[in-house]
């Protein structure tokens, strides 16, 4: 028997740290870690100890003889990885964490944001002695995209929130939820009360298509749709036209696949999840039977991950359609896939697309159509979206890179709903430098830098998507945040941080004056308890409050 890592893998590498025989790869110290879709257990080396199973925060690891049928392909996926990257003889040395000398006293850190990167940073900090952490979030509820971005049917992924509870509920952590930095308290005031501030605010914006008609009603960012069905209070009142039979999604990353599933799956499945009630009701009344997902390049360059595509093809009552002509690879991509040194994940993407192209659709099924080598050139309609015009691309090698070039061949698809899913983007923060081109806070390994001089700003750090751009999955933020925390502690130990002018009690007084009734950890616990209770009554894990007013009221109710 050996263990197998399956679809829910969050890549936080907790399993790597506990494996006694170095059979889980890639590790954070290996170059493949930056692009891997999940971690892999070598079946030949695994000693069946089960340490990884106990450590996994999302229940993604199973014994090979207990795999559910839909997870059996992960046996071959792991084997293919180790055929390409056979295990070496040496266990990689774990980097030793910098210790804080007792004579330096207590390190005080503010973290702005409470999503995955923020929580991983808080976990890393509070695992050390003599560290106090204050977490700020503009919403009354924590966890960021874990709460408002993960698909409702990915229950195991959402379970990582239980891991984060140890960070925000730690005895040395103080939570200031419903407090907006830049509005209720300034950056300079945070620095006056802390040795350092870590900005881990994610990437709240989205990229635009920049085509005519993009602003028509019926054209939206996929991020809006995701936030709407997840009950984010900023988006709960949005309206989406589901009266037509076809929706078109531009972009083919994992978010696009999540949205497609939400549009065509049986709404009663979502009724048993924490999807917002208003979204479940709207989907019950939806007429959409086909979702077209449009990618500008070919299947070898698709942005989605193999586990998400594999799961898409296993949905009951839904056909995944691929035009055989669109999986005929260009010569450069074909040479890449046929090369024995090809990354297994790239070869598998092509293999899956070719498999879909060979399938025979079932009459009466809803459809998800994967379109490759196409880009939008115009969204058409009189007062609202009525159709979208696509132009076919060809892939051309330029300076060693494949670029999508328009061919002039166009087609128009009727649709009343267009969702752009071409990437999140960070937005500027008050009193901080910002890289407009990349949509991130300029930094070196988490230290925020002056863009003019390149020199670090004293006591200012960043982690997560606002640090590196919107890449990776939830667990990717663990290593990202750990790097930032290591740099922060290095600076504290070597005397590069200023001593706070004010103490923690004065901070609490200041926040209470500026934001009376802010939500602390106890207030969040009350919200959490009531959402779980409401969910239990409705036969699901959680029924969220979808307005700030409801959340604040719940935070004040005594148990």
């Amino acid at each position: 028997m050996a263990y197998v890592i399956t679809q829910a893998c969050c890549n936080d590498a907790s399993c790597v740290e506990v494996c006694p025989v170095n059979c889980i790869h890639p590790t954070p110290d290996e170059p493949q870690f930056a692009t891997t879709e999940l971690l892999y257990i070598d079946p030949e080396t695994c000693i069946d100890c089960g340490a990884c199973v106990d450590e996994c925060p999302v229940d993604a690891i199973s014994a090979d003889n207990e795999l559910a049928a839909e997870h059996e392909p992960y046996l071959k996926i792991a084997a293919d990885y180790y055929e390409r990257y056979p295990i070496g003889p040496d266990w990689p040395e774990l980097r030793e964490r910098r210790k804080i000398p007792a004579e330096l006293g207590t390190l005080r850190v503010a973290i702005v944001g409470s999503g995955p990167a923020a929580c991983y940073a808080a976990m890393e900090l509070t695992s050390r002695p003599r560290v106090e952490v204050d977490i700020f979030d503009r919403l009354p509820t924590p966890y960021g995209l874990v709460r408002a971005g993960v698909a409702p049917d990915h229950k195991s992924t959402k379970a990582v929130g239980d891991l984060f509870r140890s960070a925000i509920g730690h005895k040395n952590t103080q939570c200031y939820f419903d407090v907006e930095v830049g509005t209720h308290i300034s950056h300079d005031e945070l620095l006056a009360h802390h040795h350092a501030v870590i900005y881990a605010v994610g990437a709240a914006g989205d990229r635009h298509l920049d085509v005519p008609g993009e602003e028509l009603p019926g054209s939206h960012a996929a991020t809006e749709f995701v936030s709407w069905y997840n009950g984010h209070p900023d988006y709960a009142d949005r309206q989406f036209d589901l009266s037509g039979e076809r929706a078109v999604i531009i972009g083919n990353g994992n978010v696009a696949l999540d949205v497609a599933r939400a549009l065509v799956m049986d709404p009663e499945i979502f009724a048993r999840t924490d999807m917002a009630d208003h979204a479940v009701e709207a989907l019950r009344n939806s007429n959409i039977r086909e979702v077209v997902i449009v990618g500008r390049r070919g299947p070898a360059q698709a942005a989605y991950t193999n586990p998400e595509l594999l799961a898409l093809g296993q949905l009951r009552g839904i056909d995944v359609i691929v035009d055989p002509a669109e999986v005929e690879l260009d010569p450069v991509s074909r040479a890449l896939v046929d090369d024995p040194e090809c990354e297994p994940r790239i070869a598998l993407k092509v293999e899956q697309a070719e498999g879909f192209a060979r399938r025979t659709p079932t009459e009466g099924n809803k459809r998800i159509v994967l379109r490759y080598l196409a880009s939008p050139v115009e969204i058409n309609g009189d007062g609202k979206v009525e159709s979208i015009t696509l132009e076919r691309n060809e892939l051309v090698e330029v300076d060693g890179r494949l670029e999508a070039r328009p061919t002039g061949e166009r087609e128009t698809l009727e649709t009343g709903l267009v969702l752009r899913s071409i990437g999140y983007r960070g937005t500027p923060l008050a009193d901080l430098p910002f890289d407009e081109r990349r949509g991130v806070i300029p930094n070196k390994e988490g230290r925020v830098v002056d863009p003019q001089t390149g020199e670090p700003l004293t006591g200012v750090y960043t982690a997560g998507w606002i640090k590196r751009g919107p890449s990776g999955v939830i667990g990717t933020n663990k290593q990202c945040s750990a790097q930032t925390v290591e740099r922060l502690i290095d600076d504290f130990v070597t005397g590069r941080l200023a001593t706070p002018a004010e103490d923690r009690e004065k901070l609490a007084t200041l926040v209470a004056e500026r934001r009376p009734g802010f939500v602390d950890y106890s207030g969040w616990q009350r919200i959490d308890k009531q959402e779980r209770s409401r969910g239990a009554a409705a036969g699901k894990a959680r029924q969220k409050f979808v307005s700030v007013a409801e959340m604040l009221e719940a935070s004040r109710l005594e148990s």
Side-chain angles (χ1 to χ4, degrees):
M1 185 186 78
Y3 285 96
V4 182
I5 298 176
T6 61
Q7 180 190 357
C9 178
C10 71
N11 284 30
D12 84 345
S14 297
C15 54
V16 171
E17 297 168 7
V18 300
C19 178
V21 292
N22 187 22
C23 75
I24 305 177
H25 293 263
T27 71
D29 296 324
E30 295 174 288
Q32 294 80 18
F33 187 82
T35 57
T36 192
E37 297 177 342
L38 69 164
L39 304 183
Y40 309 92
I41 297 174
D42 178 19
E44 300 301 320
T45 310
C46 177
I47 60 172
D48 312 333
C49 70
C52 57
V53 178
D54 295 334
E55 192 69 18
C56 180
V58 294
D59 295 329
I61 306 177
S62 299
D64 59 6
N65 60 350
E66 296 176 351
L67 281 177
E70 63 268 22
H71 289 155
E72 288 182 359
Y74 290 95
L75 288 165
K76 183 177 184 301
I77 290 172
D80 288 346
Y81 180 84
Y82 285 104
E83 182 176 348
R84 173 66 180 85
Y85 299 107
I87 284 184
D90 300 322
W91 172 265
E93 293 185 10
L94 296 177
R95 288 167 289 185
E96 187 174 348
R97 301 196 309 172
R98 186 76 178 262
K99 294 181 180 179
I100 302 175
E103 60 267 23
L104 292 181
T106 299
L107 169 64
R108 294 175 52 209
V109 180
I111 299 177
V112 182
S114 66
C119 287
Y120 279 123
M123 289 171 64
E124 186 70 22
L125 286 163
T126 57
S127 69
R128 305 166 188 253
R130 298 177 301 280
V131 178
E132 294 177 346
V133 174
D134 297 316
I135 300 179
F136 294 81
D137 198 293
R138 71 178 186 87
L139 292 177
T141 56
Y143 303 152
L145 283 181
V146 172
R147 179 178 171 93
V150 174
D153 57 330
H154 283 6
K155 296 178 183 178
S156 58
T157 304
K158 284 181 175 286
V160 77
D162 295 331
L163 176 69
F164 294 156
R165 187 184 300 270
S166 67
I168 67 170
H170 194 278
K171 64 180 181 179
N172 291 336
T173 299
Q174 173 64 55
C175 297
Y176 294 99
F177 300 146
D178 197 41
V179 177
E180 186 167 13
V181 174
T183 300
H184 305 120
I185 189 169
S186 71
H187 169 69
D188 288 342
E189 287 170 329
L190 288 182
L191 281 176
H193 291 84
H194 302 89
H195 291 90
V197 183
I198 299 175
Y199 286 88
V201 296
D206 62 88
R207 300 184 184 278
H208 290 261
L209 298 171
D210 296 325
V211 300
E214 185 173 10
E215 303 308 318
L216 282 171
S219 171
H220 308 270
T223 54
E224 296 176 30
F225 190 76
V226 170
S227 295
W228 169 75
Y229 66 56
N230 271 313
H232 191 295
D234 291 351
Y235 299 92
D237 61 352
R238 295 295 170 91
Q239 300 290 323
F240 297 90
D241 185 359
L242 308 180
S243 62
E245 292 195 355
R246 177 188 289 133
V248 176
I249 303 173
I250 305 300
N252 61 5
N254 284 348
V255 172
L257 270 56
D258 287 345
V259 170
R261 290 201 321 278
L263 286 169
V264 296
M265 282 174 60
D266 182 353
E268 300 314 313
I269 294 175
F270 290 111
R272 299 190 292 272
T273 72
D274 68 352
M275 178 180 277
D277 288 350
H278 60 251
V280 173
E281 191 58 30
L283 293 171
R284 282 173 174 150
N285 295 306
S286 170
N287 292 327
I288 291 176
R289 298 194 57 79
E290 178 180 277
V291 179
V292 180
I293 299 175
V294 181
R296 66 188 179 91
R297 296 187 293 176
Q301 297 83 25
Y304 49 65
T305 61
N306 281 299
E308 293 300 318
L309 185 62
L310 181 64
L312 197 73
Q314 295 171 339
L315 296 177
R316 294 182 180 178
I318 298 168
D319 289 325
V320 179
I321 307 296
V322 174
D323 184 341
E326 292 188 3
V327 292
E328 293 180 3
L329 299 183
D330 60 280
V332 176
S333 295
R334 173 51 62 192
L336 171 68
V337 173
D338 290 343
D339 188 333
E341 298 296 304
C342 175
E343 286 274 357
R345 62 185 177 85
I346 296 175
L348 183 55
K349 284 182 180 180
V350 174
E351 180 183 324
Q352 289 203 73
E354 291 172 338
F356 289 136
R358 292 192 294 268
R359 289 188 181 183
T360 301
T362 301
E363 186 176 353
N365 276 3
K366 293 183 179 181
R367 298 156 47 104
I368 295 174
V369 181
L370 300 179
R371 291 291 309 274
Y372 302 102
L373 297 168
S375 296
V377 292
E378 187 172 7
I379 299 172
N380 316 295
D382 183 8
K384 65 175 185 177
V385 172
E386 296 174 351
S387 65
I388 184 170
T389 300
L390 304 176
E391 184 167 26
R392 185 166 178 80
N393 297 325
E394 61 180 356
L395 291 182
V396 179
E397 189 175 14
V398 178
D399 297 328
R401 297 177 62 253
L402 281 176
E403 291 187 2
R405 294 279 183 85
T407 64
E409 180 184 341
R410 295 188 175 188
E411 66 175 309
T412 298
L413 300 178
E414 291 186 6
T415 182
L417 179 64
V418 173
L419 299 169
R420 64 181 182 274
S421 184
I422 54 175
Y424 290 81
R425 177 180 170 81
T427 54
L429 285 81
D431 303 319
L432 289 181
F434 190 72
D435 184 334
E436 288 286 353
R437 184 182 64 84
R438 296 183 58 218
V440 300
I441 297 173
N443 70 93
K444 292 180 180 177
E445 296 186 337
R447 293 183 176 105
V448 176
V449 299
D450 183 321
Q452 302 301 321
T453 66
E455 292 299 313
L457 302 181
T458 301
V460 190
Y461 302 84
T462 185
W465 281 3
I466 198 65
K467 168 187 172 182
R468 68 182 191 275
S471 63
V473 292
I474 287 173
T476 310
N477 293 290
K478 183 178 181 180
Q479 307 304 322
C480 175
S481 295
Q483 180 192 61
T484 296
V485 169
E486 283 298 319
R487 300 300 173 267
L488 187 160
I489 290 175
D490 283 345
D491 292 345
F492 180 60
V493 171
T494 54
R496 291 196 289 265
L497 300 182
T499 302
E502 307 291 349
D503 60 26
R504 207 177 197 194
E505 288 70 25
K506 288 184 178 179
L507 174 66
T509 300
L510 175 65
V511 175
E513 289 174 350
R514 300 273 183 83
R515 194 64 167 165
F518 71 87
V519 179
D520 59 11
Y521 179 66
S522 296
W524 156 241
Q525 284 184 303
R526 288 189 282 271
I527 296 172
D528 183 45
K529 182 177 180 180
Q530 290 173 71
E531 288 187 339
R532 291 177 185 271
S533 177
R534 285 155 38 106
K540 53 187 181 180
R542 179 187 300 273
Q543 184 170 322
K544 296 174 182 172
F545 296 109
V546 297
S547 75
V548 169
E550 287 179 318
M551 294 172 186
L552 293 178
E553 181 181 357
S555 74
R556 298 175 188 129
L557 291 177
E558 295 299 329
S559 300

